[in-house]
């Protein structure tokens, strides 16, 4: 039992905006009151947030693990975690090791994360890694939009059966949501091609288009009643002029819920790299008017990172642009994936546009509940740099200082200089915790109401925003103090959220021969057994009528 | 001058990155005695392994067979280390200035990723001299490494600037992925010299096997060799650079990159020899 | 791959004898969705230094001289980019320039090419640079078509060890924990090099038989120091070890996950019960006993700047 007294509480879901009040914890949850025997933490001069929730990150699985092997030079220059009686050894950096990932997230007050890209074929691998990410709770999204069995069904208009297959595959991979990456495009990339336009037929199909894949999947997911809507990585990621594709994608989602991943990478105008500019206003205008959508920013920060996505075409483009080492993984039939180390520089106009676009979206989208903080870790920047973005959002002056280093040409391509909005702590609590928890449909996360999980970050109130959010005074996970004054005190295992949507068991008879035809793995070996998911917790689906 | 004499050969490798003029010059003898060294997984005091004499300063003399002692002079920026005996891996790695002289042999990664300074080895060196550590973009960025004896694999790997001179025949992959600077092989090399080189110059005074991705360009005595010869004279190393002694066959490559590196192979005029 | 790869190249490996399932189940024979005629829709190229049983299965066999793999791969990279190659020196590889140009043409024309490389490439002169050469070639071919290169590893769960070391430490092998955090330097910290130099004063060996494969100085050192072997059976290494703990056979009587060489995880479900403990149980119990000993890292901070 624990009582935190004297702190300013920011709990947007319950309308609490910086009032000083006690927060009580019993049995890992927020309680109305605790007895006199409870330990008391004096939080005078501090602010209290619900623990951070990351709606879109890449911290576990084949791709990031491939990136780890490719970046020994980065591992060497990072701070190392030394093994102690409570802490495993590990390395931070662009692609942190699993244990370090848990320590780094908790170390800045984040307590839940959503691993955004899990190929079904290697879901077992992802879960094995997530088991080694301590402290934080986890969920993951399974990749679907380039899965050939699903694509074939959508091609033939067999939506009902496609729904059964999607449901079976979610459960087989022990996932929590469904992610569509560059629908149709990754499948085409296996032929060295890309799918650029939403209405263009996907290579290798007769009539299937990226648009029909998006609409079909969004409908299936709504009908299955998944807590998290379709998690969409739009086509044409990173390409100049791609904002029209993004607008088209959003239009094809009308009538359905959807979450748009790393929206920044999809908000560019211009015809080529020389004329590329920010088109965030057009994206934000449409988005503001359509409440069926949520998004995460996919913001970029200047500096080194490693880009890794299941978007093969984009990766190869980066490789050609930078000439830096490239890794390309090919996961049978489902998705490909590329990896390139990359440095974002303020002197590079393209990078400057990317940097500004992420911030512009966060500032121009009016409803903070619908846009979450993310960097598409590690693509735009590493997750442990989130505090730097919070500082940019909270201070227009700081943004101006950063822009002072940029060329006049770059400033003509962006909207950021015109934006004066500054986030309040209340709004920060929304985009880092309450909003993403709601987008994920995790009702026990992102707030401090009675019965909620006692995942709490306590920060010293500080003029230096970046410092403040980098070094929480206390972090509490499920009622246990895990971080105290920068020291890791405990490293409990987090839970994994899993859903089991309804499907008819006969679907397996349909799938078995297709599998034996397509895959080099036995059908029985495909599903991840529930016992292999550490601390699995089943969440409900509410199917549509 | 401070003198450290090895008392006993460590049973497992001893990591001694703090033994460098930059750290020791600022310390009292007592502090130096207590300096932590890493023996395997344990932390130990310096005086468990070394007898100490003389006075702390920028000059340092190490005596004994230190072939198991790693990281001596790591990142040093000034002063001088003289080693009477052998030295272990990573000697002078990342050094930024100053001088190291070894009267003996050294292990791998000698002067790896160094940016300035001079290393002279009277005996043989291991592999990866002046190289980039695994995954790093560049190896040595400047400075000079002179080895009288032989050297191992991948010397000068990804080096960007600076000079490496090796007196006897080196193993495979000399100048691998080299980006600049100069490697002088006074007795040639085994196979794959200059593999995947982008820029830079490899000079060999003895014939060496070429990769098929190098093209003959010309035969002459480039002017910069006279400058290099003058520089090397300070080290008592002769470099033939005059037309009456012979000429250099020039090759360019590695075309697989495609790169613009240069390989110069000395062809003495009849009767003329190189010592 | 099974559905798409229309050009399959085996380099320095003998799948017919070493990985027979590779042909039949995985890369060569199966009918794929986009390759309905199976083997007939694929071109198989074998590159090796001698005629093995795999030659029969190949459409094209390129026999190269021993120790010339790196040269051939480097020539291919140059041809792919239309760069200069010295024709006289090509002959030294055992192949003609026409053969190599034809191979590059096929590579560029393929819709999806894949190269599998074996120990004949990765363990011969040049070692990691040979692997690097084939991986680089594959990356560069992606400017023209889809291409991947993949190692064919030895028996046992080598890939699994590699995958797990990467997620726990950031590095695949050759890792030192002496300083309390992982450091990586093949050649310095790789097992065979440590043993040959005599840099360790104890050894715990699990799922391997270095006594059968490593050079003599390494074996001599293992015999000299306290060596502990966990193995279901008696091996060369267990004979020279101070302690041999008999364990259950993973995959047959101990559960776990195996990683296929393309890193696809497969569940291992025990079919039999073993009277012996699993490797995991033994290591866990050793760890429990080590844990109660005084911690040799207590004086260290919890995080640190690295030595290199
Ligand atoms: Zn992503």
């Amino acid at each position: 039992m624990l009582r935190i007294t004297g702190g300013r509480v920011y709990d947007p879901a319950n309308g609490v905006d910086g009032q000083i009040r006690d927060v009580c914890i019993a049995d890992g949850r927020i309680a109305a009151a605790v007895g006199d025997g409870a330990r008391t933490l004096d939080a005078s001069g501090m602010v209290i947030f619900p623990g951070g929730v990351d709606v879109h990150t890449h911290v576990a699985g084949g791709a990031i693990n491939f990136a780890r092997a490719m970046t020994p030079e980065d591992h060497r220059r990072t701070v190392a975690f030394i093994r102690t009686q409570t802490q495993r050894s590990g390395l931070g950096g662009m692609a942190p090791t699993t244990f370090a990932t848990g320590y780094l997230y908790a170390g800045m007050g984040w307590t839940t994360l959503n691993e955004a890209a899990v190929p079904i074929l290697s879901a077992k691998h992802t879960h094995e890694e997530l088991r080694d990410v301590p402290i934080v709770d986890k969920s993951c999204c399974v990749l679907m939009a380039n899965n050939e069995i699903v694509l074939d069904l959508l091609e033939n208009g067999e939506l009902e059966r496609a729904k059964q297959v999607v449901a079976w595959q979610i459960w087989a991979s022990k996932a929590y949501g469904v992610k569509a990456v560059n629908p149709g495009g990754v499948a085409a990339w296996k032929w060295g091609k890309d799918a650029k336009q939403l209405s263009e037929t996907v290579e290798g199909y007769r009539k299937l288009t990226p648009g029909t894949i998006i609409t079909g999947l969004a409908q299936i997911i709504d009908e299955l009643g998944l807590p998290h809507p379709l998690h969409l990585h739009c086509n044409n990621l990173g390409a100049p002029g791609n904002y029209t594709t993004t607008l088209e994608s959003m239009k094809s989602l009308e009538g359905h819920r959807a979450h748009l991943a790393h929206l920044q990478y999809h908000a560019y105008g211009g015809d080529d790299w020389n004329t590329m500019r920010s088109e965030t206003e057009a994206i934000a205008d449409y988005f503001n008017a359509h409440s069926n959508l949520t998004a995460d920013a996919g913001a970029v920060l200047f500096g080194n990172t490693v880009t890794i996505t299941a978007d093969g075409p984009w990766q190869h483009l980066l490789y050609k642009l930078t000439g830096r080492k490239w890794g390309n993984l090919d996961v049978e039939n489902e998705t490909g994936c590329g990896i390139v180390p990359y440095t974002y520089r303020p002197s590079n106009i393209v990078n400057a546009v990317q940097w500004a676009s992420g911030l512009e979206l966060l500032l121009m989208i009016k409803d903070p509940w619908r846009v979450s903080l993310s960097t598409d870790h590690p693509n735009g920047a590493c997750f442990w740099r989130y505090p730097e973005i919070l500082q940019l959002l909270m201070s227009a002056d700081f943004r101006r200082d950063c822009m002072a280093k940029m060329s006049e040409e770059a400033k003509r391509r962006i909207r950021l200089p015109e934006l004066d909005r500054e986030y309040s702590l209340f709004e920060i609590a929304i985009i880092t915790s309450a909003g993403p928890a709601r987008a994920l449909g995790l009702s026990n996360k992102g707030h401090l109401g009675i019965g909620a999980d006692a995942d709490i970050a306590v920060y010293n109130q500080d003029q230096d925003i970046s410092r403040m959010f980098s070094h929480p005074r206390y972090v509490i996970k499920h009622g246990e103090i895990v971080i105290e004054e920068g020291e890791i005190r405990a490293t409990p295992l987090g839970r994994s959220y899993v859903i089991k949507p309804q499907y008819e068991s006969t679907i397996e008879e349909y799938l078995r021969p297709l599998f034996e035809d397509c895959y080099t793995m036995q059908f029985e070996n495909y599903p991840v057994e529930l016992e292999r998911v550490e601390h699995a917790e089943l969440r409900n689906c509410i199917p549509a009528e | 001058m401070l003198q450290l004499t090895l008392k006993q050969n460590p049973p497992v490798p001893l990591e001694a990155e703090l033994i460098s003029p930059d750290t020791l010059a600022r310390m009292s003898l007592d502090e130096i005695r207590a300096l932590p060294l890493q023996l395997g997984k344990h932390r130990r005091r310096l005086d468990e392994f070394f007898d100490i004499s003389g006075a702390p300063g920028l000059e340092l003399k190490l005596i004994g067979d230190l072939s198991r002692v790693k990281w001596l002079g790591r990142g040093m920026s000034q002063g001088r280390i003289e080693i009477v005996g052998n030295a272990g891996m990573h000697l002078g790695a990342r050094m930024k200035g100053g001088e190291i002289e070894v009267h003996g042999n050294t292990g791998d990664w000698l002067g790896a990723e160094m940016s300035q300074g001079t290393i002279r080895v009277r005996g043989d060196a291991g592999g990866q001299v002046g190289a980039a550590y695994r995954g790093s973009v560049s190896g040595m960025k400047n400075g000079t490494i002179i080895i009288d004896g032989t050297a191992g694999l991948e010397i000068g790997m990804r080096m960007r600037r600076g000079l490496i001179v090796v007196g006897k025949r080196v193993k495979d992959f000399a100048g691998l992925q080299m980006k600049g600077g100069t490697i002088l092989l006074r007795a040639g090399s085994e196979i794959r010299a200059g593999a995947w080189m982008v820029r830079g110059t490899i000079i060999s005074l003895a014939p060496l096997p070429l990769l098929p991705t190098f093209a003959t360009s010309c035969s002459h005595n480039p002017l910069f060799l006279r400058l290099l010869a003058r520089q090397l004279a300070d080290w008592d190393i002769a470099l033939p650079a005059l037309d009456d002694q012979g000429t250099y066959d020039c090759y360019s490559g590695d075309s697989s990159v495609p790169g613009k590196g240069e390989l110069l192979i000395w062809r003495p005029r009849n009767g003329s020899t190189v010592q | 791959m099974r559905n798409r790869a229309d050009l399959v190249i085996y380099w320095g490996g003998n799948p017919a004898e070493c990985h027979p399932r590779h042909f039949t189940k995985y890369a060569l024979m199966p009918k794929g969705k986009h390759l309905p005629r199976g083997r007939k829709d694929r071109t198989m190229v074998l590159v090796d230094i001698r005629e093995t049983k795999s030659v029969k299965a190949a459409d094209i066999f390129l026999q190269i001289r021993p120790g010339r793999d790196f040269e051939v791969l480097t020539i291919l990279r140059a041809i792919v980019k239309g760069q200069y190659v010295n024709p006289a020196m090509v002959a030294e590889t055992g192949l003609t320039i026409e053969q190599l140009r034809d191979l590059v043409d096929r590579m560029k024309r393929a819709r999806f090419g894949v190269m599998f490389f074996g120990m004949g490439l990765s363990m011969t002169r040049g070692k990691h640079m040979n692997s690097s050469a084939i991986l680089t070639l594959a990356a560069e071919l992606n400017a023209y078509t889809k291409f991947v290169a993949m190692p064919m590893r030895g028996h046992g769960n080598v890939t699994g060890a590699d995958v797990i070391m990467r997620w726990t430490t950031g590095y695949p092998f050759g890792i030192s924990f002496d300083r309390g955090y992982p450091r990586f330097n093949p050649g310095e910290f790789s097992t065979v090099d440590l043993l040959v130099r005599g840099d360790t004063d104890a050894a715990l060996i699990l799922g391997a038989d270095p006594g059968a494969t490593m050079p003599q100085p390494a074996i001599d050192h293992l015999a000299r120091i306290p060596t502990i072997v966990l193995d279901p059976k008696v091996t060369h290494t267990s004979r020279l070890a101070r302690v041999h703990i008999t364990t259950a056979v993973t995959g047959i009587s101990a559960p776990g996950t195996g990683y296929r060489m393309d890193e696809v995880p497969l569940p291992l479900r025990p079919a039999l019960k073993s009277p012996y403990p699993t490797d995991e149980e033994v290591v866990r119990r050793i760890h429990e006993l080590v844990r109660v000993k005084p911690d040799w890292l207590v004086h260290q901070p919890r995080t640190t700047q690295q030595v290199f």
Side-chain angles (χ1 to χ4, degrees):
Chain A
M1 285 192 300
L2 202 59
R3 180 191 288 113
I4 311 170
T5 61
R8 289 184 185 284
V9 176
Y10 291 89
D11 180 11
N14 295 301
V16 183
D17 183 6
Q19 284 90 347
I20 293 175
R21 52 173 70 182
D22 286 2
V23 176
C24 297
I25 299 163
D27 300 325
R29 292 176 195 284
I30 307 288
V34 283
D36 290 340
R39 179 179 169 189
T40 300
L41 298 182
D42 180 5
S44 309
M46 302 179 201
V47 297
I48 298 176
F49 272 44
V53 177
D54 198 334
V55 69
H56 187 108
T57 184
H58 303 279
V59 294
I64 190 88
N65 208 33
F66 198 49
R68 290 183 185 113
M70 283 185 65
T71 53
E73 74 285 10
D74 181 65
H75 298 328
R76 284 195 291 271
R77 63 182 173 232
T78 68
V79 166
F81 289 86
I82 289 185
R83 190 268 301 147
T84 70
Q85 293 292 347
T86 49
Q87 166 184 316
R88 296 275 299 256
S89 67
L91 302 172
M94 307 189 307
T97 59
T98 51
F99 296 102
T101 299
Y103 307 147
L104 288 166
Y105 261 113
M108 56 177 196
W110 262 247
T111 48
T112 304
L113 59 84
N114 180 42
E115 161 55 52
V118 182
I120 311 182
L121 198 62
S122 60
K124 208 171 292 171
H125 177 173
T126 307
H127 285 293
E128 289 196 345
E129 280 199 32
L130 287 175
R131 183 178 56 200
D132 281 351
V133 177
I135 305 179
V136 292
D137 288 338
K138 293 145 290 200
S139 62
C140 56
C141 287
V142 61
L143 292 168
M144 200 71 81
N146 294 286
N147 179 291
E148 298 198 341
I149 296 174
V150 176
L151 293 195
D152 288 351
L153 288 168
L154 292 176
E155 159 99 345
N156 298 326
E158 293 187 63
L159 209 64
E160 183 54 37
R161 183 170 272 164
K163 184 165 98 184
Q164 299 281 320
V165 172
V166 168
W168 184 87
Q169 296 204 356
I170 291 170
W171 179 242
S173 54
K174 299 296 173 285
Y176 179 81
V178 171
K179 172 152 185 230
V181 174
N182 188 9
V186 178
W189 169 243
K190 296 198 158 187
W191 299 111
K193 302 277 184 338
D194 193 5
K196 295 265 189 235
Q197 292 302 320
L198 278 203
S199 52
E200 239 172 56
T201 314
V202 176
E203 174 88 5
Y205 289 88
R206 281 171 290 110
K207 55 182 191 205
L208 189 72
T209 67
T212 49
I213 303 174
I214 294 172
T215 318
L217 282 174
Q219 185 180 336
I220 285 170
I221 286 158
D222 281 352
E223 288 179 11
L224 290 171
L226 304 195
H228 182 50
L230 173 65
H231 195 104
L232 177 63
H233 160 140
C234 294
N235 294 66
N236 263 340
L237 177 136
N242 64 6
Y243 81 106
T244 53
T245 312
T246 312
L247 286 173
E248 272 186 74
S249 305
M250 293 197 284
K251 283 176 192 153
S252 69
L253 287 162
E254 271 173 33
H256 301 293
R257 300 175 302 153
H259 178 86
L260 303 169
H262 37 74
L263 197 51
Q264 178 276 130
Y265 282 104
H266 304 276
Y268 308 145
D271 304 316
D272 53 32
W273 296 108
N274 297 321
T275 56
M276 181 176 142
R277 60 175 193 275
S278 160
E279 280 291 352
T280 49
E281 191 173 22
I283 299 288
D285 282 350
Y286 184 93
F287 187 91
N288 282 332
H290 292 82
S291 61
N292 57 319
L293 302 172
T294 57
D296 60 87
V300 157
L301 288 171
F302 297 122
N304 295 321
T305 194
V306 55
T307 65
I308 120 184
T309 88
D311 194 331
W314 160 243
Q315 292 295 324
H316 193 255
L317 185 67
L318 270 185
Y319 170 68
K320 284 200 280 190
L321 288 176
T322 62
R324 283 169 75 174
K325 54 191 166 189
W326 185 53
N328 186 21
L329 271 180
D330 183 67
V331 183
E332 283 189 27
N333 290 32
E334 282 167 1
T335 173
C337 149
I339 292 140
V340 185
Y342 192 78
T343 306
Y344 291 97
R345 300 174 204 280
S347 55
N348 175 318
I349 292 186
V350 169
N351 294 162
V353 168
Q354 293 173 312
W355 174 82
S357 297
L359 298 171
E360 287 167 12
L361 287 168
L362 283 160
L363 294 165
M364 290 199 281
I365 291 174
K366 293 193 184 112
D367 180 2
W369 284 96
R370 292 203 286 127
V371 61
S372 300
L373 176 67
S374 82
T375 54
D376 192 21
H377 165 80
N379 294 305
C382 298
F383 68 81
W384 42 265
R385 296 182 65 191
Y386 285 169
E388 296 174 47
I389 303 179
L390 299 182
Q391 185 176 8
L392 287 161
L393 293 175
M394 292 187 71
S395 167
D397 282 343
F398 181 57
R399 293 200 293 269
R400 273 188 276 276
D401 289 348
C402 293
M403 280 186 282
K405 295 174 204 131
M406 285 164 38
S407 68
E408 289 308 310
E409 177 56 28
K411 280 184 229 172
R412 276 194 288 278
R413 313 265 192 98
I414 59 177
R415 305 297 309 275
L416 196 61
E418 304 150 36
L419 302 175
D420 294 323
R421 179 175 166 194
E422 292 184 334
Y423 267 67
S424 64
L425 284 173
F426 186 74
E427 289 172 317
I428 294 289
I430 297 174
I431 63 162
T432 58
S433 175
R438 190 176 284 183
L440 283 168
L442 289 169
S443 53
N444 51 327
K445 299 292 182 194
H447 72 99
L448 302 174
I450 291 163
D453 285 355
D455 300 347
I456 301 168
V458 182
Y459 301 97
N460 288 312
Q461 193 135 20
D462 191 335
Q463 288 301 312
D464 184 335
I465 300 300
S466 178
R467 183 171 63 196
M468 166 175 166
F469 284 103
S470 302
H471 304 287
R473 180 66 174 270
Y474 301 104
V475 179
I476 293 158
K477 173 71 202 341
H478 207 67
E480 185 177 8
I481 298 176
V482 289
I483 306 282
E484 194 169 350
E485 303 197 38
E487 292 276 305
I488 298 170
R489 289 277 181 260
T491 56
L493 272 179
R495 282 166 292 179
S496 284
Y497 296 114
V498 174
I499 52 167
K500 185 176 186 182
Q502 289 176 1
Y503 59 84
E504 286 154 25
S505 56
T506 51
I507 195 66
E508 294 199 357
E509 288 154 39
Y510 168 78
L511 281 170
R512 183 185 296 272
L514 288 177
F515 265 85
E516 285 169 0
D517 227 34
C518 279
Y519 292 91
T520 56
M521 195 199 262
Q522 283 175 2
F523 188 63
E524 284 68 27
N525 285 339
Y526 208 69
V528 181
E529 292 135 326
L530 190 60
E531 309 83 77
R532 282 171 177 263
V533 181
E534 197 88 2
H535 289 228
E537 186 176 310
L538 281 179
R539 308 301 294 235
N540 293 328
C541 295
I542 303 153
E545 288 311 302
Chain B
M1 187 174 68
L2 186 76
Q3 189 163 311
L4 303 178
T5 309
L6 189 69
K7 289 198 275 196
Q8 46 154 323
N9 211 350
V12 293
L14 184 69
E15 297 193 333
E17 70 277 5
L18 295 177
I19 299 186
S20 102
D22 296 71
T23 359
L24 298 191
R26 288 183 272 116
M27 290 185 162
S28 70
L29 281 174
D30 276 344
E31 286 171 317
I32 291 171
R33 280 187 201 102
L35 206 67
L37 304 179
Q38 186 83 18
L39 179 73
K41 64 184 182 183
H42 295 283
R43 195 166 272 202
R44 294 290 186 78
R45 285 167 61 95
L46 183 139
D47 59 4
E48 282 185 56
F49 293 92
F50 290 94
D51 285 322
I52 301 163
S53 61
L58 285 171
E59 297 244 327
L60 193 59
K61 188 168 189 171
L62 307 175
I63 300 165
D65 179 7
L66 295 104
S67 50
R68 274 222 161 118
V69 185
K70 298 179 181 177
W71 295 105
L72 291 165
R74 182 200 66 167
M76 66 188 269
S77 67
Q78 54 181 333
R80 181 180 153 80
I81 302 180
E82 187 184 351
I83 302 174
V84 183
N86 301 324
M89 288 185 194
H90 310 290
L91 172 66
R94 302 235 168 95
M95 76 188 274
K96 297 189 269 296
E99 233 181 287
I100 297 177
E101 181 167 10
V102 187
H103 300 276
N105 304 328
T106 72
D108 301 339
W109 306 100
L110 173 73
E113 297 187 4
M114 70 190 284
S115 51
Q116 201 51 271
T118 309
I119 303 177
R120 174 108 199 212
V121 178
R122 300 290 178 176
D124 300 333
Q128 291 88 18
V129 173
Y133 284 111
R134 299 292 170 208
S136 287
V137 179
S138 37
M140 67 190 284
K141 287 160 205 77
N142 212 339
T144 306
I145 303 176
I146 296 177
I147 299 155
D148 292 355
T150 61
L153 294 168
E154 299 178 358
I155 68 160
M157 185 237 289
R158 297 189 197 166
M159 70 187 283
R160 197 173 272 288
R161 273 183 78 186
L163 173 67
I164 299 177
V165 180
V166 189
K168 296 185 181 154
R169 198 168 159 89
V170 306
K171 290 192 181 152
D172 304 0
F173 291 114
L176 175 67
Q177 293 176 300
M178 194 172 168
K179 299 167 165 190
T182 306
I183 298 179
L184 171 59
L185 306 171
R186 292 168 61 207
S189 81
E190 298 189 19
I191 57 176
R192 297 166 186 170
W196 301 4
M197 71 191 289
V198 184
R199 275 172 195 282
T201 308
I202 300 176
I203 306 161
S204 178
L205 302 188
L208 54 74
L210 279 175
L211 278 170
T213 42
F214 278 79
T216 320
S217 57
C218 59
S219 195
H220 70 136
N221 288 343
L223 203 58
F224 83 92
L225 287 182
R226 297 203 192 160
L227 299 174
L228 185 61
R230 218 168 296 154
Q231 191 189 338
L232 288 169
D234 296 346
W235 301 89
D236 292 325
I237 294 169
L239 178 72
L242 296 172
D243 294 344
D244 58 354
Q245 296 173 297
T247 53
Y248 286 90
D249 292 333
C250 305
Y251 301 88
S252 69
D254 179 331
S255 69
S256 71
V257 175
K260 294 195 187 96
E262 270 189 311
L263 241 165
L264 307 179
I265 302 176
W266 175 246
R267 186 147 47 93
R269 195 156 282 204
N270 287 344
S272 131
T273 52
V274 182
Q275 39 77 250
Chain C
M1 187 164 305
R2 170 174 160 161
N3 278 317
R4 292 188 164 85
D6 56 350
L7 177 63
V8 180
I9 301 171
Y10 288 95
W11 198 301
N14 178 9
E17 285 172 271
C18 304
H19 300 93
R21 286 167 54 83
H22 208 272
F23 274 170
T24 51
K25 295 263 178 187
Y26 188 57
L28 201 56
M29 306 308 283
K31 294 188 169 71
K33 187 175 155 198
H34 302 281
L35 301 166
R37 296 181 302 155
R39 179 67 184 84
K40 288 199 193 79
D41 286 330
R42 292 188 173 87
T43 304
M44 198 278 246
V45 180
L46 184 73
V47 186
D48 210 341
I49 55 166
R50 71 183 95 79
E51 276 195 46
T52 61
K53 284 203 174 143
S54 301
V55 172
K56 263 200 298 187
D59 298 300
I60 297 169
F61 172 51
L62 298 175
Q63 185 167 8
I64 59 176
R65 291 219 181 113
R68 303 295 171 139
D69 301 84
F70 181 83
E71 283 71 15
V72 174
L73 288 162
T74 300
I75 293 168
L76 289 171
R77 284 182 60 197
I79 299 177
V80 164
K81 293 175 202 149
Q83 295 290 323
Y84 172 85
V85 176
N86 182 326
M89 275 188 279
V90 171
E92 292 174 20
T93 64
L95 302 176
T96 63
I97 189 82
E98 290 72 29
Q99 281 176 302
L100 292 167
R101 289 217 175 99
D102 173 67
L103 181 59
V104 168
D105 276 349
R106 289 173 188 278
M107 285 169 157
K108 288 187 175 176
R109 277 204 317 267
R111 297 237 274 169
F112 180 1
V114 53
M115 296 189 276
F116 296 104
F117 57 100
M119 311 251 267
L121 182 69
S122 56
M123 298 306 280
T124 52
R125 189 167 179 176
K127 291 188 176 174
H128 68 276
M129 283 312 298
N130 294 347
S131 310
S132 177
I134 201 166
L135 292 165
T136 308
L137 174 64
E140 291 176 349
L141 280 164
N142 276 275
Y144 306 90
T145 183
K146 168 89 187 168
F147 233 98
V148 294
M150 208 178 275
M152 291 196 292
R153 287 186 244 231
H155 296 283
N157 196 2
V158 184
T159 310
D162 182 310
V163 164
I164 291 179
M165 290 315 286
R166 254 150 58 202
W167 87 57
T168 52
T169 71
Y171 306 119
F173 59 85
I175 304 158
S176 165
F177 292 97
D178 280 346
R179 296 257 175 162
Y181 62 86
R183 287 184 299 162
F184 170 69
N185 202 20
E188 181 176 10
F189 300 134
S190 28
T191 319
V192 60
D193 299 283
L194 285 172
L195 292 174
V196 167
R197 283 194 305 267
D199 279 353
T200 59
D201 56 3
L204 173 70
I205 293 166
L206 212 152
D209 189 11
T213 54
M214 280 193 184
Q216 197 57 43
I219 294 170
D220 293 345
H221 189 67
L222 279 176
R224 205 156 39 228
I225 58 176
T227 294
I228 306 157
V229 171
L230 273 56
D231 208 294
K233 47 191 191 309
V234 172
T235 64
H236 289 91
T237 319
S238 77
R239 280 198 202 99
L240 58 81
R242 206 77 58 91
V243 178
H244 175 197
I245 301 171
T246 308
T247 51
V249 185
T250 303
I252 295 178
S253 39
T257 303
Y259 280 80
R260 217 163 66 177
M261 53 193 171
D262 57 357
E263 299 195 1
V264 168
L266 296 171
L268 303 175
R269 302 190 181 93
L272 301 167
K273 253 198 143 29
S274 169
Y276 300 109
T278 63
D279 290 333
E280 188 187 347
E281 265 174 76
V282 174
V283 173
R284 217 176 265 285
R285 279 161 63 187
I286 294 174
H287 181 243
E288 283 313 311
L289 295 172
V290 172
R291 228 178 125 85
V292 298
K293 293 190 152 204
D295 191 345
W296 55 89
L297 288 173
V298 278
H299 55 277
Q300 302 248 15
R302 286 173 166 237
T303 56
T304 184
Q305 288 297 324
Q306 300 182 38
V307 180
F308 89 114

